[in-house]
């Protein structure tokens, strides 16, 4: 017995194995991870490993066995604590910890009150790996290690760790493409890259934005304010306040582009209900309306609509700046006595909505837990839109009025799958399955909107509400240009690609009798002032970049997040200036004056967000709070 010796570095291997296995068990016992297939299970199992290899591997740099063991034990304890903190946090918020919540004391108000009730003696289990590691160090007979580890061994070890990391990321990428740039859902992140790597990623994102914030002192606002004031549009007092006091229902139409409206596909009408609506006597329809989103997709559109600011060029502002001060449309309407809420039958942490909605002062978020998803009511990413609308209207019927409800649909989402009973038209017949199915899911969307109108009428909410609907972003990317070109019967040039960024926009005011097709070139950034003015709310002191589309001062100039732009005369895309009318290349001078302005305006928006500048601004008085900041940054 006495002579049995475990190989060198057994303690390191044991430390890794114990934490790895424990983490995997905790994933299954303490978090509600929805695993849909074997590959996801494999990724879940694998995902703690790369981080553990690296962090425990650091011990190989220590110059004595004792120091190595001490390091392993301390690391194991810290990791156990981090995981346990997530478990306790999850018991309260069904979410993983992200740095900003640690600084949002209101969360801890809730947490502190009942923390004691949520910590159990059996929670010792979460530290079992530390205990076992300690025991192994004490009692396991291990072959004597050299005090100093050979560099070649270390190198081989870290190459292996990197290989595991890339294997993990590669599998995650096939399972969830663009995970790190796009799919900013904490649950998805933890599921795919693991809880420890997720924290590193979170620290990276948060510290980047923190540094820029710390450098700002508010003086930057002077220039931004001048720009905003000089581009401000006076309300059109013929329209201003025409919907005063009404409920506001804003519907985000998932992936809805304008090219399907008032058109047919192989003889099938694609959007029969919306087509009628474009001609309706109570509806303003905007055929020349563009989305302005970037990587944050739906969340960017929400951000633009709420704040009248652009999303960021890289990453989703919902994720990177949820700790900022904002003056959202919800906040303005809340001040007018509106009950403000968002309805979306998806996991609340998707796009970090639960955090961002606090910053936007949205009073309530009806997330997936507010919906009864019966058998057969789910498709793609969540609940089907028809039952979603039905239950949303049920919620509205219970609300104090006036209310502002923003509804986010989901069925018309990539990869555009639908069950047979929900397919009202056949697929298209191009070489792109995505585009072929898109027509069907759009047709379903149309049906669901029709249902929404009926549901509202049935509950007696229709007459007293304004319904605004807009496409959130494109559904068909440029990867499907060949198929698109077949459908449109023309080549997809950069000009056409820009024109394909048009999304439908409807403002429906029951009984107004003012409906018309408004040809004005406009974008999502204009939604905020347009709606607020319709509801009779002044925005002259707001720090917003859009303009009321009904205003005489509204300028036909829409800037895309990537610097492309559209005016009533030109389209600027791929560094080429196109004539809007003909789609032909035109002389560069026609675009020149706008190029700098596009960069300037996007730059001001970025400055406001990155510097968290609205904390230096009082939107009630329009005063810049710069002196106060000078005091804090220069405490003499
Ligand atoms: C997710 C939904 C879709 O909750 O809003 O997001 P998207 O992928 O369209 O940005
Ligand atoms: Mn979307």
């Amino acid at each position: 017995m006495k002579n049995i010796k475990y190989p060198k570095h057994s303690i390191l291997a044991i430390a890794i194995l114990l934490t790895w296995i424990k983490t995997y068990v905790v994933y299954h016992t303490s978090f509600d991870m929805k695993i849909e297939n074997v590959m996801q299970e494999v990724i879940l199992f694998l995902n703690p490993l790369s981080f553990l290899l690296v962090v425990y591997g650091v011990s190989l740099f220590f110059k004595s066995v004792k120091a190595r063991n001490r390091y392993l034990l301390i690391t194991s304890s810290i990791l156990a604590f981090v995981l346990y903190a997530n478990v306790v946090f999850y018991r309260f918020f069904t979410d993983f910890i992200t740095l900003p919540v640690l600084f949002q004391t209101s969360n801890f108000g809730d947490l502190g009150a009942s923390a004691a009730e949520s910590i159990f003696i059996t929670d010792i289990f979460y530290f079992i790996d530390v205990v076992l590691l300690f025991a192994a160090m004490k009692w396991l007979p291990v072959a004597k290690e050299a005090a100093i580890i050979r560099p070649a061994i270390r190198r081989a070890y870290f190459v292996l760790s990197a290989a595991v990391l890339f294997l993990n990321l590669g599998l995650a990428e096939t399972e969830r493409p663009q995970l790190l740039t796009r799919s900013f859902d904490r649950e998805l992140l933890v599921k795919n890259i693991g809880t420890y790597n997720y924290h590193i990623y979170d620290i990276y994102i948060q510290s980047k934005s923190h540094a820029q914030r710390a450098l700002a002192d508010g003086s930057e606002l002077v220039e931004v304010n001048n720009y905003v004031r000089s581009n401000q549009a006076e309300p059109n007092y013929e329209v201003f306040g025409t919907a005063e006091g009404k409920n506001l229902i804003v519907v985000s139409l998932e992936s809805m582009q304008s090219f399907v409206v008032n058109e047919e596909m192989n003889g099938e009408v694609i959007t029969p209900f919306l087509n009628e609506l474009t001609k309706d006597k109570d509806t303003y329809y905007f055929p020349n309306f563009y989305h302005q989103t970037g990587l944050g997709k739906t969340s960017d559109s929400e951000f633009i609509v709420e704040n009248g600011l652009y999303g960021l060029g890289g990453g989703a502002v919902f994720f990177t700046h949820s700790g900022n001060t904002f003056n959202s449309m919800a906040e303005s309407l809340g001040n007018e006595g509106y009950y403000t809420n968002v309805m979306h039958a998806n996991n609340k942490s998707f796009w970090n909505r639960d955090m961002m909605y606090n910053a936007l002062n949205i009073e309530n978020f009806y997330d997936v837990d507010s919906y009864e998803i019966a058998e057969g009511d789910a498709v793609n990413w969540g609940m089907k839109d028809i039952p979603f609308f039905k239950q949303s209207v049920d919620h509205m019927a219970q609300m104090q009025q006036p209310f502002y409800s923003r509804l986010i649909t989901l069925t018309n989402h990539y990869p555009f799958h639908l069950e047979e009973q929900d397919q009202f038209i056949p697929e298209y017949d191009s070489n792109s399955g995505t585009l072929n199915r898109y027509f069907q899911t759009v047709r379903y969307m149309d049906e669901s909107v029709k249902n929404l109108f009926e549901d509202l009428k049935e509950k007696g909410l229709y007459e007293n509400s304004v319904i605004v609907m807009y496409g959130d972003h494109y559904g068909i990317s440029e990867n499907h240009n060949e198929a698109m070109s077949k459908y449109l019967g023309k080549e997809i040039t950069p000009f056409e690609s820009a024109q394909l960024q048009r999304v439908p926009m409807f403002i429906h005011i029951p009984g107004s009798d003012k409906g018309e097709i408004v040809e004005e070139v406009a974008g999502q950034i204009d939604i905020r002032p347009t709606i607020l003015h319709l509801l009779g709310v002044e925005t002259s002191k707001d720090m917003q970049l859009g303009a009321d589309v009904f205003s005489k001062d509204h300028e036909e100039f829409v800037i895309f997040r990537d610097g492309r732009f559209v005016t009533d005369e030109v389209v600027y895309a791929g560094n080429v200036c196109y004539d809007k009318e003909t789609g032909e290349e035109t002389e560069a001078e026609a675009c020149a004056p706008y190029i700098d302005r596009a960069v300037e305006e996007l730059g001001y928006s970025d400055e406001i967000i990155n510097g968290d500048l609205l904390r230096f601004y009082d939107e009630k008085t329009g005063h810049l709070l710069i002196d106060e900041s000078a005091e804090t940054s220069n405490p003499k």
Side-chain angles (χ1 to χ4, degrees), residues 240-262:
F240 186 89
T242 46
E244 192 167 339
K246 292 201 181 229
N247 302 315
L248 171 64
I249 300 171
V250 175
V251 182
S252 158
L253 303 170
E254 176 60 43
S255 302
M256 182 72 168
Q257 292 177 239
S258 297
F259 76 88
V260 291
V261 179
N262 287 326

PDB file of all heavy atoms in Angstrom, residues 240-262:
ATOM      1  N   PHE A 240     -49.968  67.913 -33.510  1.00  0.00           N
ATOM      2  CA  PHE A 240     -49.547  67.856 -32.109  1.00  0.00           C
ATOM      3  C   PHE A 240     -50.762  67.647 -31.197  1.00  0.00           C
ATOM      4  O   PHE A 240     -51.758  68.362 -31.289  1.00  0.00           O
ATOM      5  CB  PHE A 240     -48.836  69.165 -31.732  1.00  0.00           C
ATOM      6  CG  PHE A 240     -48.245  69.171 -30.357  1.00  0.00           C
ATOM      7  CD1 PHE A 240     -46.951  68.723 -30.135  1.00  0.00           C
ATOM      8  CD2 PHE A 240     -48.988  69.628 -29.272  1.00  0.00           C
ATOM      9  CE1 PHE A 240     -46.395  68.730 -28.862  1.00  0.00           C
ATOM     10  CE2 PHE A 240     -48.446  69.637 -27.994  1.00  0.00           C
ATOM     11  CZ  PHE A 240     -47.141  69.185 -27.785  1.00  0.00           C
ATOM     12  N   GLY A 241     -50.667  66.649 -30.339  1.00  0.00           N
ATOM     13  CA  GLY A 241     -51.720  66.423 -29.342  1.00  0.00           C
ATOM     14  C   GLY A 241     -52.987  65.788 -29.871  1.00  0.00           C
ATOM     15  O   GLY A 241     -53.954  65.632 -29.123  1.00  0.00           O
ATOM     16  N   THR A 242     -53.004  65.370 -31.155  1.00  0.00           N
ATOM     17  CA  THR A 242     -54.266  64.809 -31.674  1.00  0.00           C
ATOM     18  C   THR A 242     -54.612  63.468 -31.027  1.00  0.00           C
ATOM     19  O   THR A 242     -55.735  63.000 -31.135  1.00  0.00           O
ATOM     20  CB  THR A 242     -54.244  64.650 -33.212  1.00  0.00           C
ATOM     21  OG1 THR A 242     -53.016  64.046 -33.589  1.00  0.00           O
ATOM     22  CG2 THR A 242     -54.410  65.975 -33.921  1.00  0.00           C
ATOM     23  N   ALA A 243     -53.630  62.846 -30.383  1.00  0.00           N
ATOM     24  CA  ALA A 243     -53.932  61.573 -29.711  1.00  0.00           C
ATOM     25  C   ALA A 243     -53.726  61.698 -28.204  1.00  0.00           C
ATOM     26  O   ALA A 243     -53.492  60.710 -27.512  1.00  0.00           O
ATOM     27  CB  ALA A 243     -53.052  60.471 -30.275  1.00  0.00           C
ATOM     28  N   GLU A 244     -53.822  62.913 -27.717  1.00  0.00           N
ATOM     29  CA  GLU A 244     -53.550  63.162 -26.299  1.00  0.00           C
ATOM     30  C   GLU A 244     -54.403  62.280 -25.378  1.00  0.00           C
ATOM     31  O   GLU A 244     -55.606  62.114 -25.601  1.00  0.00           O
ATOM     32  CB  GLU A 244     -53.828  64.635 -25.987  1.00  0.00           C
ATOM     33  CG  GLU A 244     -53.302  65.017 -24.637  1.00  0.00           C
ATOM     34  CD  GLU A 244     -53.268  66.533 -24.423  1.00  0.00           C
ATOM     35  OE1 GLU A 244     -53.264  67.285 -25.418  1.00  0.00           O
ATOM     36  OE2 GLU A 244     -53.246  66.923 -23.250  1.00  0.00           O
ATOM     37  N   GLY A 245     -53.749  61.718 -24.384  1.00  0.00           N
ATOM     38  CA  GLY A 245     -54.461  60.943 -23.374  1.00  0.00           C
ATOM     39  C   GLY A 245     -54.771  59.508 -23.769  1.00  0.00           C
ATOM     40  O   GLY A 245     -55.247  58.713 -22.958  1.00  0.00           O
ATOM     41  N   LYS A 246     -54.534  59.168 -25.031  1.00  0.00           N
ATOM     42  CA  LYS A 246     -54.844  57.792 -25.457  1.00  0.00           C
ATOM     43  C   LYS A 246     -53.770  56.827 -24.976  1.00  0.00           C
ATOM     44  O   LYS A 246     -52.622  57.214 -24.741  1.00  0.00           O
ATOM     45  CB  LYS A 246     -54.905  57.725 -26.984  1.00  0.00           C
ATOM     46  CG  LYS A 246     -56.080  58.478 -27.564  1.00  0.00           C
ATOM     47  CD  LYS A 246     -56.380  57.967 -28.961  1.00  0.00           C
ATOM     48  CE  LYS A 246     -57.549  58.737 -29.548  1.00  0.00           C
ATOM     49  NZ  LYS A 246     -58.567  57.901 -30.126  1.00  0.00           N
ATOM     50  N   ASN A 247     -54.145  55.541 -24.905  1.00  0.00           N
ATOM     51  CA  ASN A 247     -53.138  54.514 -24.635  1.00  0.00           C
ATOM     52  C   ASN A 247     -52.215  54.452 -25.837  1.00  0.00           C
ATOM     53  O   ASN A 247     -52.636  54.701 -26.967  1.00  0.00           O
ATOM     54  CB  ASN A 247     -53.776  53.138 -24.474  1.00  0.00           C
ATOM     55  CG  ASN A 247     -54.800  53.116 -23.362  1.00  0.00           C
ATOM     56  OD1 ASN A 247     -54.552  53.649 -22.275  1.00  0.00           O
ATOM     57  ND2 ASN A 247     -55.951  52.517 -23.630  1.00  0.00           N
ATOM     58  N   LEU A 248     -50.986  54.079 -25.577  1.00  0.00           N
ATOM     59  CA  LEU A 248     -50.031  53.924 -26.672  1.00  0.00           C
ATOM     60  C   LEU A 248     -49.594  52.464 -26.748  1.00  0.00           C
ATOM     61  O   LEU A 248     -49.099  51.902 -25.766  1.00  0.00           O
ATOM     62  CB  LEU A 248     -48.812  54.823 -26.425  1.00  0.00           C
ATOM     63  CG  LEU A 248     -47.633  54.614 -27.364  1.00  0.00           C
ATOM     64  CD1 LEU A 248     -48.005  54.954 -28.802  1.00  0.00           C
ATOM     65  CD2 LEU A 248     -46.430  55.450 -26.919  1.00  0.00           C
ATOM     66  N   ILE A 249     -49.824  51.879 -27.914  1.00  0.00           N
ATOM     67  CA  ILE A 249     -49.387  50.487 -28.122  1.00  0.00           C
ATOM     68  C   ILE A 249     -48.371  50.504 -29.260  1.00  0.00           C
ATOM     69  O   ILE A 249     -48.705  50.865 -30.389  1.00  0.00           O
ATOM     70  CB  ILE A 249     -50.589  49.590 -28.475  1.00  0.00           C
ATOM     71  CG1 ILE A 249     -51.613  49.625 -27.330  1.00  0.00           C
ATOM     72  CG2 ILE A 249     -50.129  48.159 -28.760  1.00  0.00           C
ATOM     73  CD1 ILE A 249     -52.935  48.965 -27.657  1.00  0.00           C
ATOM     74  N   VAL A 250     -47.139  50.176 -28.937  1.00  0.00           N
ATOM     75  CA  VAL A 250     -46.088  50.166 -29.961  1.00  0.00           C
ATOM     76  C   VAL A 250     -45.720  48.708 -30.234  1.00  0.00           C
ATOM     77  O   VAL A 250     -45.413  47.959 -29.311  1.00  0.00           O
ATOM     78  CB  VAL A 250     -44.841  50.942 -29.484  1.00  0.00           C
ATOM     79  CG1 VAL A 250     -43.710  50.824 -30.501  1.00  0.00           C
ATOM     80  CG2 VAL A 250     -45.186  52.407 -29.244  1.00  0.00           C
ATOM     81  N   VAL A 251     -45.816  48.310 -31.493  1.00  0.00           N
ATOM     82  CA  VAL A 251     -45.538  46.915 -31.829  1.00  0.00           C
ATOM     83  C   VAL A 251     -44.263  46.835 -32.663  1.00  0.00           C
ATOM     84  O   VAL A 251     -44.158  47.467 -33.718  1.00  0.00           O
ATOM     85  CB  VAL A 251     -46.707  46.291 -32.620  1.00  0.00           C
ATOM     86  CG1 VAL A 251     -46.424  44.821 -32.918  1.00  0.00           C
ATOM     87  CG2 VAL A 251     -48.013  46.448 -31.851  1.00  0.00           C
ATOM     88  N   SER A 252     -43.319  46.059 -32.187  1.00  0.00           N
ATOM     89  CA  SER A 252     -42.100  45.814 -32.948  1.00  0.00           C
ATOM     90  C   SER A 252     -42.355  44.580 -33.823  1.00  0.00           C
ATOM     91  O   SER A 252     -42.614  43.489 -33.320  1.00  0.00           O
ATOM     92  CB  SER A 252     -40.956  45.576 -31.958  1.00  0.00           C
ATOM     93  OG  SER A 252     -39.918  44.872 -32.554  1.00  0.00           O
ATOM     94  N   LEU A 253     -42.340  44.793 -35.140  1.00  0.00           N
ATOM     95  CA  LEU A 253     -42.609  43.695 -36.073  1.00  0.00           C
ATOM     96  C   LEU A 253     -41.282  43.022 -36.409  1.00  0.00           C
ATOM     97  O   LEU A 253     -40.454  43.588 -37.127  1.00  0.00           O
ATOM     98  CB  LEU A 253     -43.260  44.234 -37.346  1.00  0.00           C
ATOM     99  CG  LEU A 253     -44.556  45.027 -37.160  1.00  0.00           C
ATOM    100  CD1 LEU A 253     -44.957  45.710 -38.465  1.00  0.00           C
ATOM    101  CD2 LEU A 253     -45.688  44.124 -36.657  1.00  0.00           C
ATOM    102  N   GLU A 254     -41.078  41.835 -35.865  1.00  0.00           N
ATOM    103  CA  GLU A 254     -39.794  41.155 -36.007  1.00  0.00           C
ATOM    104  C   GLU A 254     -39.406  40.961 -37.481  1.00  0.00           C
ATOM    105  O   GLU A 254     -40.200  40.458 -38.280  1.00  0.00           O
ATOM    106  CB  GLU A 254     -39.850  39.808 -35.279  1.00  0.00           C
ATOM    107  CG  GLU A 254     -38.608  38.952 -35.422  1.00  0.00           C
ATOM    108  CD  GLU A 254     -37.341  39.624 -34.891  1.00  0.00           C
ATOM    109  OE1 GLU A 254     -37.394  40.229 -33.818  1.00  0.00           O
ATOM    110  OE2 GLU A 254     -36.304  39.536 -35.585  1.00  0.00           O
ATOM    111  N   SER A 255     -38.189  41.376 -37.807  1.00  0.00           N
ATOM    112  CA  SER A 255     -37.574  41.138 -39.129  1.00  0.00           C
ATOM    113  C   SER A 255     -38.445  41.535 -40.319  1.00  0.00           C
ATOM    114  O   SER A 255     -38.310  40.980 -41.404  1.00  0.00           O
ATOM    115  CB  SER A 255     -37.205  39.659 -39.298  1.00  0.00           C
ATOM    116  OG  SER A 255     -36.337  39.252 -38.295  1.00  0.00           O
ATOM    117  N   MET A 256     -39.326  42.481 -40.119  1.00  0.00           N
ATOM    118  CA  MET A 256     -40.285  42.833 -41.168  1.00  0.00           C
ATOM    119  C   MET A 256     -39.707  43.905 -42.083  1.00  0.00           C
ATOM    120  O   MET A 256     -39.395  45.002 -41.638  1.00  0.00           O
ATOM    121  CB  MET A 256     -41.549  43.347 -40.481  1.00  0.00           C
ATOM    122  CG  MET A 256     -42.639  43.705 -41.408  1.00  0.00           C
ATOM    123  SD  MET A 256     -43.360  42.223 -42.102  1.00  0.00           S
ATOM    124  CE  MET A 256     -44.800  42.935 -42.848  1.00  0.00           C
ATOM    125  N   GLN A 257     -39.574  43.584 -43.351  1.00  0.00           N
ATOM    126  CA  GLN A 257     -39.065  44.557 -44.330  1.00  0.00           C
ATOM    127  C   GLN A 257     -40.207  45.028 -45.222  1.00  0.00           C
ATOM    128  O   GLN A 257     -41.220  44.344 -45.374  1.00  0.00           O
ATOM    129  CB  GLN A 257     -37.968  43.903 -45.174  1.00  0.00           C
ATOM    130  CG  GLN A 257     -36.719  43.605 -44.385  1.00  0.00           C
ATOM    131  CD  GLN A 257     -35.653  42.878 -45.203  1.00  0.00           C
ATOM    132  OE1 GLN A 257     -35.243  41.791 -44.839  1.00  0.00           O
ATOM    133  NE2 GLN A 257     -35.195  43.463 -46.294  1.00  0.00           N
ATOM    134  N   SER A 258     -39.984  46.182 -45.855  1.00  0.00           N
ATOM    135  CA  SER A 258     -41.076  46.778 -46.647  1.00  0.00           C
ATOM    136  C   SER A 258     -41.292  46.112 -48.000  1.00  0.00           C
ATOM    137  O   SER A 258     -42.346  46.299 -48.601  1.00  0.00           O
ATOM    138  CB  SER A 258     -40.780  48.257 -46.881  1.00  0.00           C
ATOM    139  OG  SER A 258     -40.753  48.912 -45.652  1.00  0.00           O
ATOM    140  N   PHE A 259     -40.306  45.340 -48.460  1.00  0.00           N
ATOM    141  CA  PHE A 259     -40.441  44.819 -49.821  1.00  0.00           C
ATOM    142  C   PHE A 259     -41.595  43.826 -49.984  1.00  0.00           C
ATOM    143  O   PHE A 259     -41.947  43.472 -51.096  1.00  0.00           O
ATOM    144  CB  PHE A 259     -39.115  44.214 -50.316  1.00  0.00           C
ATOM    145  CG  PHE A 259     -38.787  42.860 -49.747  1.00  0.00           C
ATOM    146  CD1 PHE A 259     -39.242  41.702 -50.367  1.00  0.00           C
ATOM    147  CD2 PHE A 259     -38.022  42.737 -48.593  1.00  0.00           C
ATOM    148  CE1 PHE A 259     -38.936  40.437 -49.854  1.00  0.00           C
ATOM    149  CE2 PHE A 259     -37.718  41.487 -48.073  1.00  0.00           C
ATOM    150  CZ  PHE A 259     -38.175  40.343 -48.696  1.00  0.00           C
ATOM    151  N   VAL A 260     -42.177  43.383 -48.852  1.00  0.00           N
ATOM    152  CA  VAL A 260     -43.300  42.438 -48.955  1.00  0.00           C
ATOM    153  C   VAL A 260     -44.664  43.140 -48.935  1.00  0.00           C
ATOM    154  O   VAL A 260     -45.679  42.520 -49.252  1.00  0.00           O
ATOM    155  CB  VAL A 260     -43.265  41.407 -47.805  1.00  0.00           C
ATOM    156  CG1 VAL A 260     -42.091  40.463 -47.962  1.00  0.00           C
ATOM    157  CG2 VAL A 260     -43.223  42.090 -46.447  1.00  0.00           C
ATOM    158  N   VAL A 261     -44.670  44.422 -48.538  1.00  0.00           N
ATOM    159  CA  VAL A 261     -45.945  45.118 -48.363  1.00  0.00           C
ATOM    160  C   VAL A 261     -46.501  45.546 -49.731  1.00  0.00           C
ATOM    161  O   VAL A 261     -45.749  46.029 -50.583  1.00  0.00           O
ATOM    162  CB  VAL A 261     -45.778  46.350 -47.437  1.00  0.00           C
ATOM    163  CG1 VAL A 261     -47.104  47.089 -47.272  1.00  0.00           C
ATOM    164  CG2 VAL A 261     -45.234  45.923 -46.091  1.00  0.00           C
ATOM    165  N   ASN A 262     -47.797  45.328 -49.898  1.00  0.00           N
ATOM    166  CA  ASN A 262     -48.468  45.632 -51.171  1.00  0.00           C
ATOM    167  C   ASN A 262     -47.820  44.910 -52.355  1.00  0.00           C
ATOM    168  O   ASN A 262     -47.773  45.437 -53.466  1.00  0.00           O
ATOM    169  CB  ASN A 262     -48.493  47.147 -51.432  1.00  0.00           C
ATOM    170  CG  ASN A 262     -49.492  47.848 -50.523  1.00  0.00           C
ATOM    171  OD1 ASN A 262     -50.536  47.279 -50.189  1.00  0.00           O
ATOM    172  ND2 ASN A 262     -49.178  49.058 -50.102  1.00  0.00           N
TER     173      ASN A 262
END
